[in-house]
Amino acid sequence: DAGVTQSPTHLIKTRGQQVTLRCSPKSGHDTVSWYQQALGQGPQFIFQYYEEEERQRGNFPDRFSGHQFPNYSSELNVNALLLGDSALYLCASSFRRGANEQFFGPGTRLTVL
Amino acid sequence: AQSVAQPEDQVNVAEGNPLTVKCTYSVSGNPYLFWYVQYPNRGLQFLLKYITGDNLVKGSYGFEAEFNKSQTSFHLKKPSALVSDSALYFCAVRLPYGQNFVFGPGTRLSALP
């Protein structure tokens, strides 16, 4: 059973560009969350998707948007990239119901030049 | 607002000695508590969680954590450290009615031979 997978592994963009990151959840999981982890910091919650809708959102601007597909996979889109968007972007999946831990993917390292 | 503190940026321990990584939290209500570990250039791996019941929780790789409601703490412990335990450790909380995790800033553990 594959765990959470993310693509691409690394990405380099320039300021003002747009980027799309992809995530496939662990088999059977129905909920996907996205986190931003800046260097030397803990992950910061961006948003969570369940049943193809954004259910909860952290303190991130509208430049950050997402999508969940019927097969539960998800995308994170960031528009008008800023230097400060450089970070490791982590996807986590879980079951919606219950006190369940989240399983994390290896992350996508985004560098904005 | 929820917050998680890990008062030590770095913890050094000799291999074979017991280790403790500290975590305190500030939330309203009765949160779920988690510990994750992160190895270099990797995503987060789940270690253990506290939901309810016995204050001492046992998890993966010989780790355990002690929940103390009066002190709002959830310290991670291991009786005998291994060099391979060297990594970044994150404490996280989640409210029962919420879905997102709030992570602490992380503690870097170095277990020296």
Side-chain angles (χ1 to χ4, degrees):
Chain A
D1 172 33
V4 180
T5 60
Q6 292 186 242
S7 62
T9 305
H10 296 87
L11 206 50
I12 298 176
K13 293 285 187 179
T14 57
R15 281 178 296 174
Q17 285 190 309
Q18 179 264 343
V19 68
T20 297
L21 310 181
R22 295 176 176 83
C23 171
S24 291
K26 183 177 171 62
S27 178
H29 285 180
D30 56 8
T31 301
V32 173
S33 302
W34 286 93
Y35 293 84
Q36 181 194 66
Q37 186 180 17
L39 200 60
Q41 297 183 20
Q44 300 293 314
F45 174 71
I46 303 174
F47 43 54
Q48 183 179 82
Y49 277 82
Y50 170 68
E51 289 186 335
E52 303 179 47
E53 291 189 15
E54 183 182 298
R55 299 293 178 167
Q56 201 165 358
R57 189 179 184 94
N59 189 26
F60 280 79
D62 292 344
R63 298 187 297 110
F64 290 77
S65 63
H67 190 77
Q68 185 180 34
F69 299 94
N71 66 352
Y72 306 118
S73 67
S74 177
E75 288 182 350
L76 164 65
N77 301 292
V78 187
N79 295 322
L81 285 168
L82 304 173
L83 294 180
D85 294 332
S86 295
L88 181 67
Y89 287 85
L90 296 166
C91 171
S93 72
S94 60
F95 293 109
R96 178 76 173 173
R97 302 295 181 189
N100 295 298
E101 61 271 25
Q102 295 184 340
F103 288 80
F104 284 80
T108 293
R109 173 74 62 187
L110 172 65
T111 301
V112 182
L113 303 176
Chain B
Q2 305 172 62
S3 66
V4 178
Q6 294 180 242
E8 300 157 318
D9 293 335
Q10 172 95 28
V11 170
N12 296 319
V13 62
E15 187 177 30
N17 282 3
L19 70 86
T20 299
V21 183
K22 296 179 181 178
C23 171
T24 59
Y25 61 92
S26 176
V27 301
S28 56
N30 298 311
Y32 301 148
L33 300 162
F34 301 80
W35 275 101
Y36 283 84
V37 60
Q38 186 176 35
Y39 294 97
N41 301 313
R42 302 289 296 277
L44 278 67
Q45 296 179 27
F46 169 74
L47 283 177
L48 50 77
K49 65 181 177 184
Y50 174 83
I51 306 302
T52 187
D54 192 353
N55 289 343
L56 186 64
V57 178
K58 294 190 182 297
S60 306
Y61 312 118
F63 284 94
E64 57 190 27
E66 186 170 13
F67 170 65
N68 187 316
K69 186 172 183 178
S70 63
Q71 296 186 3
T72 61
S73 67
F74 189 54
H75 300 332
L76 181 69
K77 301 181 179 184
K78 187 174 182 182
S80 178
L82 299 172
V83 172
S84 57
D85 293 330
S86 299
L88 194 54
Y89 289 81
F90 291 98
C91 180
V93 300
R94 200 203 99 185
L95 288 173
Y97 53 81
Q99 290 294 328
N100 65 297
F101 283 51
V102 175
F103 284 86
T107 297
R108 185 165 301 282
L109 175 72
S110 292
L112 306 174

